[in-house]
Amino acid sequence: MDTYSVIPIRFTLNGDKVSIEAGAHETALTVIRERLSLKGTKEGCGMGECGACTILVDGKSVNACLMAAPQLEGRTVMTVEGLGREGKLHPLQEAFLEHHGVQCGFCTPGLLMSAQSLILETPRPTHKQVVEAISGNLCRCTGYQQIVDAIQYGADKTGGEE
Amino acid sequence: MLTHPAYARPETLYEALLFLKTHGIDTRPLAGGTDVMVDLRAGKLKSEYLLDISRLKELQGIGLSKDGLSIGAGVTISEIYNSPLVAKNAPSLIKSCAFFGSPQIRNVATIGGNVGNASPSADTVPPLLVHEARAVLASENGERTVALANLFEGPYRSGIRPDELLIRFILEPADGRFTDFQKIGRRKALAISRMSMALLADPKEDGTLGTVRLALGSGTPTPMRMEAVEAFLKGKRADRQTVEAGSRLMAEEMVRITGRRPSTEYKEKAVQGLFLRILAPLVE
Ligand SMILES: Cc1cc2nc3c(=O)[nH]c(=O)nc-3n(C[C@H](O)[C@H](O)[C@H](O)COP(=O)(O)OP(=O)(O)OC[C@H]3O[C@@H](n4cnc5c(N)ncnc54)[C@H](O)[C@@H]3O)c2cc1C
Ligand code: FES
Ligand code: FES
């Protein structure tokens, strides 16, 4: 078997096919933020504690800072940039604005991805399910109540659109 | 600073084992990466190679057979948490997964990685111990099966040989017996304030305890069964007096095994509290 210091990886990012070469010393976060310049995904702690780097991989929320870049091979990845469309916010994003779930905004992309992952599995989450779903996301500004409200409201609206 | 290990992605278990046969000593297997990537970033990973075993089919799957409940080493904490088969046959393991890290961590972290990292506070280990889990390991030479209790060599020393991979765990099903898992303290909290415990017990019609299995995490160098306490409880009624005497014995045993440290005074109280809490449902 061959070993690689860098290896070609192909994956789908927000609906587009991407090919790039990366090594195991690089994380999914570096590839997405630095190499592909999608700056929505944030780097906070870099060690799985804050959730600022949360992305969806095959529909599940993961910490991009803990994923080796070559592990992206063949996966379907969604970042916050894939949530809304040009000129049209996703119902979750609208709900965050309306319910004052955003202050400095640093935690928001990660929270949106955790919320999206929840809604994919549980379209009408309970309060408890929302709290649990964002337990890996730190927010230093809001105190979470507005965020939980926003997610529940956004889930209702997302469901309503389908 | 990140080090720069080379990356290898085997297609099959056999390919992975062949690689380990030659390069095992210079290789770290990579499963969910939630320990490995943290070490890599901290500059604590000195291996030349990362062997990505996260897609090996041979490490997947949960099943029940006459041997017991089998859980692949590559199964994630989320998959365990959502498994009806585990819920039925090992409820304490489900509970250890419910309080594990965060959703993002549970979606990638594996049970094999939890055992492989061999932390004294690995959450899945006390439940595995009360289910007398056996670990199935493979190398290019073949398989060996070891009682998990005999695998660990010390804190962060799993006892897995450099040319081996964990393949699966085989648990004795609960079979209607009482099982539970309790923990206090978050992972990032100071080590002193963390502790976990798993119990499997079989209260008889006459109120006495049949089988009692009790495992402690974060109180001893590796998670382990507390056999002296098990022997003390077995055949007795779980009345308040017995349970209180049991909790004192639990603390004595912990100190006997671990030795006295500055943290001991706190840990003695914590272990007694946790013991009383986990036994409470059985107390008359
Ligand atoms: C934010 C955060 C929160 C956490 N919370 C908890 C918690 O609540 N409870 C807890 O117990 N742990 C926790 N952890 C630690 C970690 O998530 C667990 O130990 C996890 O189970 C590791 O699994 P993994 O698949 O990510 O392992 P990896 O990081 O891929 O591997 C861990 C070790 O095991 C070895 N290994 C992996 N699979 C095999 C195999 N099949 N055969 C042989 N060796 C193997 C690797 O080489 C490595 O040495 C946390 C970690 C983080 C970053
Ligand atoms: S940057 Fe990934 S969890 Fe904090
Ligand atoms: S809005 Fe500032 S960290 Fe959440």
Side-chain angles (χ1 to χ4, degrees):
Chain A
M1 188 186 3
D2 297 330
T3 62
Y4 302 89
S5 53
V6 291
I7 183 172
I9 46 179
R10 288 164 302 267
F11 62 102
T12 305
L13 180 59
N14 300 328
D16 297 328
K17 298 236 176 300
V18 178
S19 301
I20 194 163
E21 293 204 336
H25 59 282
E26 291 172 277
T27 63
L29 181 61
T30 6
V31 165
I32 289 168
R33 255 188 85 79
E34 311 304 332
R35 308 271 306 277
L36 299 169
S37 299
L38 289 185
K39 302 282 184 184
T41 309
K42 303 295 179 201
E43 170 152 25
C45 64
M47 49 198 280
E49 298 288 341
C50 75
C53 65
T54 305
I55 58 172
L56 299 195
V57 175
D58 293 343
K60 295 200 168 74
S61 61
V62 313
N63 295 314
C65 71
L66 292 184
M67 188 176 210
Q71 292 189 307
L72 289 170
E73 171 68 24
R75 301 293 186 214
T76 299
V77 177
M78 189 192 205
T79 66
V80 70
E81 288 87 351
L83 201 55
R85 268 171 283 129
E86 201 62 59
K88 179 159 173 25
L89 292 178
H90 185 272
L92 269 174
Q93 290 169 313
E94 282 177 357
F96 265 69
L97 292 176
E98 282 169 28
H99 287 260
H100 311 287
V102 185
Q103 283 184 31
C104 79
F106 187 76
C107 66
T108 312
L111 275 159
L112 285 166
M113 299 324 284
S114 287
Q116 176 69 4
S117 158
L118 169 69
I119 293 173
L120 287 175
E121 262 183 41
T122 315
R124 302 249 185 242
T126 61
H127 180 86
K128 197 165 161 243
Q129 285 170 320
V130 173
V131 171
E132 176 49 38
I134 62 167
S135 60
N137 294 81
L138 293 182
C139 173
R140 294 181 194 284
C141 306
T142 67
Y144 301 102
Q145 187 51 51
Q146 299 94 310
I147 291 170
V148 174
D149 290 347
I151 294 172
Q152 283 207 290
Y153 185 75
D156 282 350
K157 280 211 297 189
T158 313
E161 275 192 1
E162 275 159 9
Chain B
M1 251 296 286
L2 291 176
T3 50
H4 283 52
Y7 176 80
R9 186 193 294 129
E11 298 287 327
T12 62
L13 175 62
Y14 183 69
E15 220 184 337
L17 297 177
L18 267 187
F19 185 86
L20 289 175
K21 186 187 166 116
T22 348
H23 300 293
I25 214 92
D26 304 315
T27 303
R28 269 287 273 275
L30 173 71
T34 59
D35 286 315
V36 169
M37 297 303 285
V38 170
D39 285 356
L40 184 72
R41 187 185 162 95
K44 281 198 259 169
L45 190 96
K46 302 289 181 234
S47 316
E48 238 173 282
Y49 306 105
L50 282 182
L51 184 73
D52 187 351
I53 57 169
S54 64
R55 296 180 193 211
L56 295 180
K57 288 188 198 65
E58 295 89 340
L59 270 50
Q60 298 303 318
I62 299 175
L64 189 66
S65 74
K66 62 172 181 6
D67 286 342
L69 176 68
S70 165
I71 303 178
V75 173
T76 64
I77 302 301
S78 295
E79 286 166 339
I80 293 175
Y81 181 68
N82 290 317
S83 162
L85 215 49
V86 181
K88 179 154 185 292
N89 294 288
S92 62
L93 184 61
I94 294 274
K95 207 162 164 196
S96 72
C97 295
F99 297 108
F100 198 108
S102 63
Q104 293 94 318
I105 294 288
R106 295 196 286 271
N107 281 338
V108 294
T110 63
I111 188 167
N114 202 222
V115 169
N117 195 50
S119 155
S121 59
D123 276 337
T124 65
V125 175
L128 286 173
L129 291 175
V130 298
H131 283 273
E132 310 226 298
R134 286 166 291 153
V136 179
L137 298 119
S139 71
E140 199 263 334
N141 292 325
E143 283 193 351
R144 68 173 175 130
T145 302
V146 194
L148 185 62
N150 299 333
L151 185 66
F152 295 120
E153 290 173 349
Y156 304 100
R157 290 187 13 244
S158 68
I160 303 168
R161 296 173 191 147
D163 65 341
E164 284 182 328
L165 286 176
L166 279 166
I167 307 301
R168 62 182 175 278
F169 303 96
I170 303 168
L171 286 70
E172 185 190 287
D175 255 337
R177 290 171 293 186
F178 177 84
T179 85
D180 195 14
F181 170 85
Q182 296 279 346
K183 89 168 169 183
I184 47 176
R186 294 205 40 215
R187 170 173 163 274
K188 275 285 152 172
L190 292 173
I192 167 177
S193 65
R194 283 194 317 238
M195 191 164 281
S196 64
M197 204 177 282
L199 171 69
L200 182 150
D202 192 11
K204 295 245 171 62
E205 291 269 307
D206 65 1
T208 61
L209 295 170
T211 318
V212 182
R213 297 185 196 149
L214 197 63
L216 177 64
S218 294
T220 46
T222 63
M224 61 171 75
R225 289 271 295 275
M226 301 303 275
E227 286 168 8
V229 184
E230 295 176 356
F232 171 78
L233 290 174
K234 191 172 173 171
K236 294 205 173 68
R237 309 178 76 84
D239 51 33
R240 270 198 50 208
Q241 227 182 349
T242 305
V243 170
E244 269 165 23
S247 84
R248 286 191 296 272
L249 181 59
M250 188 84 181
E252 280 166 29
E253 277 293 291
M254 182 186 72
V255 176
R256 186 183 63 77
I257 294 163
T258 315
R260 278 215 165 259
R261 305 176 175 186
S263 61
T264 302
E265 205 174 316
Y266 174 85
K267 290 240 168 191
E268 282 173 320
K269 291 203 186 76
V271 80
Q272 295 189 38
L274 210 52
F275 180 88
L276 294 176
R277 193 199 293 174
I278 206 166
L279 270 127
L282 299 179
V283 176
E284 300 168 332

